[in-house]
Amino acid sequence: MSLPPEKASELKQIIHNHLLKMDIHGKIREVLAETVRDDQGPARRSLSEADFLRALQRRGIIDDMMKDLHFTQEAGTEAETGSPTKPAAHFVDKDITHLKKTNIDPSRRCLYLQVLGGKAFLEHLQEPDPLPGQVCSTFTLYLHFRNQRFRSKPVPCACEPDLKEGFLLEIHRDGIGESGKMADATSMLSMCDPVHFVLIKTDTSSETMLVSSYFLDWRTVLSSPSSKTCFAVELMGVGSESKVPAGVLTVSLELYPPLPEILSADIISTQQSLERQRAAEKERLFLVYAKQWWREFLEIRPSNQTKLVKIFAQDENGVNRPVCSYVRVLRAGRLLESPRQAARFVSLLAHEKAPVVGGGGKQEQWCTLMAFLCRGKGDCEDHATLLCSLQLGFGMDAYVCVGTKAKGVPHAWVLTRGTDGSITFWESLTAHRYLHRPIDPDAPPLAPQPKPSYPYQTVGCVFNHQTFLANCQPSDAVELCVFDFQNQSRWKAMSEEALKSVCAPGSTTSLPPLPPLCSPSLDPAAASNQLELEMRYLVSEHRKDLDLATVWDDHLSYLLSSALSAYELERCTGVSCGNEEFQDAVRRAVPDGHTFKGFPIHFLHRNARRAFATCLRSPFCEEIVCCRGDHVRLAVRVRVFVYPENACAVWIMFACKYRSVL
């Protein structure tokens, strides 16, 4: 990496100062005198530079000098990944959690994966270099390998992005394989878990976009001399662009400790070929079975042809996979405490349909869980499969439903069955829950019938990680459906054995591995304070434009906290509480003859300007922010509630109190 002239001179000065501090010249003179004295024997020869360096090394002077120079991994990485136009010595990335130094256990095998830079990201060919301090679009690389997840520092988008990071991957983790034993070449050859790369672009307004999702087979390193290899990885686009290259990453792999004996490249390619053949044969047999099953389903009644029975779905790479493979039993450890909190977390991941170029309706694209979590947003199917996976982890009998909602729009949601036979629908986009009571079409005309509160119209099929059931009732209307899955005249099931052969974890090498959820790295108090300061500034500036003074009431602002906390608790549990205390506190804080107005609003992002612009579109909020009158006091309170994957529930409440004048 070349340094600009001013940086090179700065570095030389630092080294010079360090050498002076150590009195290196005095030490060199002593060693030189001693070496010359030792060479005054009969076999005298001229003193070479190599002899002198050996003498310095023997006395430990070089080691002492290097010991005093402190190079930390964090600082080195920051300098490498910072934009080349920013001063390396002063570049600080506030959003990145500092890495901890790790000692490598010599008894455990590790894979050191380095990304040495990117090139040929042609979409950014015309992008100018960012100026110092300028906000620009960034690339972030995410990795998943055998239950370990990593993230690079964000770097400015460019044709040749400065993606330079190192990741230490443990080959054997606790609970995966024989964690106490050193992995040898043969056992590593049988590990078909790929390294999953997900490249995300974040634009200047904090919107994220999935650029590429790539599965790297790392086992080529097993045949490399000294267990080290370097190669280029071509990343392909996603969705409709999955056949178009997005860019190239240079990747280096190194095994620690190195293998005593390497494998031949033929053995590795034979193993990979066998795995591919085995997976292809299983998929072929399942496809043959699925076609036969579908023919049988259509023979039950002709109207089944129009029902939404989805057996296969395309992922972001355009790969067709059985829908059951998108659902797995996912336990969140201590990150989520209950099924309702899990539903709240999933609803905080934004809803966005797969982008499509041109018209032609909806682009069909389901996402692997890793890509969905890294992007932080996805379609209703992504939300439903994640919520179903979490509900299964909490021990519930959960299924994904595929059907339609109002106006026949295709939709997916989650259904859970109680031990008493009760059926509950969970809307994964909002965390709303609905109890299902079917209408009896044979009941007398005047008999009271339950009125459905849910927005769903039809249901074509339901599935989870090991079950697939198609609705073969005369009508697919949800309100008439009986969710008695054991009744074969109402629901046609696929063979569980057939599903297990292609959907069970480890059944085929083409199945993407299941990533764990990441704990949040955001500090909720710091995020709340920062956003509140920004909102105060925006309100003051807006009022200044209207020639209005702004006087803040800090006590009133503080009182709003309990209301925001109660709102989030209600969204999480469905139970409302704490409102009486808030109302009582406000009555005490607002003097007689004064009027109080409050406006709460909820967001999924932390962009102050976007939030403020949205707030002003509400006449109630505008009335508070632009309040005129006698003795006007304003208040604003922000609460950021942080969930796994840094998903945020952002609550903002604006309030004012003023003396009522008749």
Side-chain angles (χ1 to χ4, degrees):
M1 186 179 77
S2 59
L3 283 172
E6 67 274 10
K7 286 290 153 213
S9 59
E10 188 182 325
L11 192 59
K12 283 177 187 171
Q13 187 61 47
I14 291 168
I15 294 169
H16 178 69
N17 292 343
H18 181 68
L19 295 176
L20 282 177
K21 187 177 163 189
M22 281 187 67
D23 186 27
I24 196 74
H25 297 102
K27 289 180 182 177
I28 288 173
R29 273 195 294 272
E30 282 174 28
V31 174
L32 185 59
E34 215 170 292
T35 311
V36 171
R37 205 165 45 241
D38 291 346
D39 281 354
Q40 294 296 326
R44 197 168 89 180
R45 59 184 177 81
S46 60
L47 184 66
S48 71
E49 189 179 331
D51 293 332
F52 184 54
L53 278 172
R54 268 197 296 276
L56 284 174
Q57 216 158 359
R58 209 164 41 241
R59 299 295 159 90
I61 288 172
I62 291 175
D63 288 343
D64 288 345
M65 185 177 74
M66 294 309 291
K67 219 178 284 174
D68 286 346
L69 277 171
H70 297 291
F71 293 112
T72 63
Q73 186 184 351
E74 297 91 324
T77 315
E78 277 182 7
E80 282 173 8
T81 56
S83 152
T85 54
K86 293 180 183 176
H90 308 292
F91 174 60
V92 177
D93 196 342
K94 290 179 184 174
D95 290 338
I96 301 301
T97 309
H98 282 296
L99 304 175
K100 292 175 184 172
K101 291 182 186 177
T102 309
N103 294 322
I104 299 174
D105 183 351
S107 66
R108 304 275 290 268
R109 188 86 65 193
C110 292
L111 177 69
Y112 184 50
L113 186 151
Q114 279 183 289
V115 179
L116 303 173
K119 55 189 175 186
F121 285 82
L122 300 179
E123 197 174 315
H124 301 279
L125 191 59
Q126 304 300 325
E127 207 139 308
D129 287 338
L131 299 168
Q134 181 188 353
V135 178
C136 60
S137 299
T138 59
F139 281 140
T140 309
L141 184 67
Y142 295 82
L143 263 70
H144 170 229
F145 177 69
R146 290 174 74 81
N147 229 31
Q148 304 157 74
R149 284 181 58 186
F150 301 88
R151 185 184 81 164
S152 75
K153 289 184 171 63
V155 300
C157 290
C159 181
E160 296 189 357
D162 194 28
L163 274 165
K164 290 178 183 170
E165 289 279 352
F167 307 96
L168 191 66
L169 317 176
E170 285 185 36
I171 302 287
H172 271 163
R173 293 274 287 177
D174 296 329
I176 299 183
E178 300 172 36
S179 55
K181 184 181 164 189
M182 172 77 81
D184 58 12
T186 313
S187 63
M188 286 192 284
L189 181 63
S190 64
M191 292 177 192
C192 51
D193 308 67
V195 180
H196 191 179
F197 285 58
V198 173
L199 186 64
I200 298 289
K201 177 185 174 181
T202 308
D203 68 16
T204 49
S205 60
S206 304
E207 287 292 319
T208 55
M209 188 182 94
L210 180 60
V211 177
S212 183
S213 172
Y214 180 83
F215 295 94
L216 171 73
D217 194 329
W218 55 276
R219 291 175 291 181
T220 50
V221 75
L222 301 177
S223 66
S224 307
S226 69
S227 299
K228 189 187 282 191
T229 183
C230 186
F231 50 88
V233 168
E234 185 178 46
L235 301 179
M236 306 304 281
V238 293
S240 56
E241 297 173 28
S242 59
K243 302 286 185 284
V244 182
V248 175
L249 290 182
T250 305
V251 173
S252 155
L253 297 176
E254 187 172 356
L255 278 175
Y256 289 114
L259 289 171
E261 289 181 22
I262 62 168
L263 300 175
S264 78
D266 289 344
I267 291 176
I268 294 168
S269 59
T270 304
Q271 173 73 14
Q272 291 169 335
S273 176
L274 280 170
E275 287 169 358
R276 280 195 296 271
Q277 286 169 16
R278 203 177 296 131
E281 180 61 15
K282 284 183 176 181
E283 287 161 9
R284 186 189 69 79
L285 290 172
F286 180 75
L287 183 58
V288 169
Y289 167 75
K291 284 180 175 177
Q292 175 62 30
W293 181 91
W294 178 244
R295 278 195 295 271
E296 291 170 2
F297 178 67
L298 293 182
E299 284 167 8
I300 296 171
R301 58 171 55 87
S303 62
N304 284 354
Q305 179 77 51
T306 59
K307 290 178 181 174
L308 264 178
V309 179
K310 190 145 192 69
I311 304 170
F312 295 94
Q314 272 194 8
D315 66 12
E316 68 267 22
N317 291 326
V319 178
N320 256 326
R321 295 199 279 123
V323 291
C324 295
S325 68
Y326 288 87
V327 177
R328 308 278 270 277
V329 178
L330 180 60
R331 295 183 182 89
R334 298 196 182 276
L335 299 179
L336 295 169
E337 302 293 341
S338 67
R340 292 192 187 191
Q341 196 181 26
R344 176 63 175 152
F345 156 62
V346 174
S347 72
L348 294 173
L349 300 168
H351 176 225
E352 184 179 275
K353 297 186 187 302
V356 59
V357 179
K362 184 187 173 191
Q363 169 77 28
E364 177 66 34
Q365 180 186 308
W366 294 30
C367 264
T368 57
L369 180 55
M370 179 69 179
F372 176 40
L373 293 175
C374 295
R375 187 174 166 226
K377 58 184 177 185
D379 212 337
C380 59
E381 294 89 358
D382 304 321
H383 287 78
T385 52
L386 173 56
L387 179 56
C388 184
S389 299
L390 288 165
Q391 304 286 40
L392 289 167
F394 279 112
M396 301 184 75
D397 188 19
Y399 302 82
V400 175
C401 298
V402 177
T404 61
K405 53 182 185 178
K407 298 179 182 173
V409 177
H411 192 60
W413 66 97
V414 174
L415 169 154
T416 55
R417 295 197 309 163
T419 50
D420 57 353
S422 62
I423 300 294
T424 306
F425 294 145
W426 302 68
E427 177 47 66
S428 55
L429 300 178
T430 61
H432 290 163
R433 295 160 62 252
Y434 308 96
L435 200 62
H436 171 67
R437 292 189 187 90
I439 290 172
D440 182 5
D442 301 324
L446 296 177
Q449 296 276 23
K451 192 175 180 185
S453 57
Y454 43 78
Y456 316 119
Q457 284 195 341
T458 66
V459 56
C461 64
V462 301
F463 65 89
N464 61 18
H465 62 307
Q466 55 191 18
T467 309
F468 185 93
L469 298 144
N471 184 1
C472 51
Q473 295 169 67
S475 168
D476 60 357
V478 177
E479 56 188 21
L480 300 174
C481 260
V482 177
F483 291 92
D484 174 12
F485 296 150
Q486 277 68 45
N487 189 332
Q488 294 179 8
S489 65
R490 289 193 165 118
W491 295 92
K492 180 169 173 59
M494 268 194 173
S495 155
E496 286 197 10
E497 285 302 311
L499 289 168
K500 206 180 286 182
S501 70
V502 287
C503 299
S507 56
T508 71
T509 50
S510 57
L511 273 186
L514 182 73
L517 292 184
C518 277
S519 56
S521 59
L522 272 178
D523 177 356
S528 302
N529 286 339
Q530 178 63 30
L531 189 52
E532 190 171 308
L533 286 171
E534 290 173 18
M535 295 310 289
R536 281 195 173 204
Y537 171 77
L538 291 171
V539 169
S540 299
E541 289 298 303
H542 186 74
R543 287 177 63 83
K544 198 184 286 181
D545 291 343
L546 300 172
D547 291 329
L548 295 171
T550 306
V551 182
W552 295 102
D553 186 330
D554 291 337
H555 177 61
L556 186 59
S557 295
Y558 179 70
L559 297 185
L560 304 179
S561 284
S562 62
L564 300 183
S565 182
Y567 298 150
E568 182 59 23
L569 190 64
E570 186 178 355
R571 290 285 178 102
C572 244
T573 62
V575 179
S576 177
C577 62
N579 205 32
E580 302 81 7
E581 292 90 338
F582 167 65
Q583 289 178 357
D584 188 58
V586 168
R587 286 192 191 99
R588 290 174 187 280
V590 178
D592 289 341
H594 282 64
T595 300
F596 170 83
K597 288 180 181 177
F599 175 78
I601 190 166
H602 175 251
F603 293 99
L604 302 183
H605 62 81
R606 293 179 294 122
N607 187 311
R609 289 191 181 278
R610 265 172 66 198
F612 189 59
T614 306
C615 293
L616 287 180
R617 285 201 285 273
S618 162
F620 299 108
C621 183
E622 193 192 21
E623 198 178 308
I624 292 169
V625 170
C626 307
C627 181
R628 297 169 184 267
D630 184 23
H631 208 72
V632 175
R633 296 290 180 268
L634 291 168
V636 64
R637 192 65 169 171
V638 175
R639 282 293 304 272
V640 177
F641 297 88
V642 182
Y643 287 81
E645 302 293 330
N646 280 343
C648 290
V650 178
W651 285 96
I652 302 175
M653 191 165 185
F654 296 93
C656 67
K657 63 176 184 180
Y658 57 92
R659 182 178 287 129
S660 307
V661 180
L662 294 172

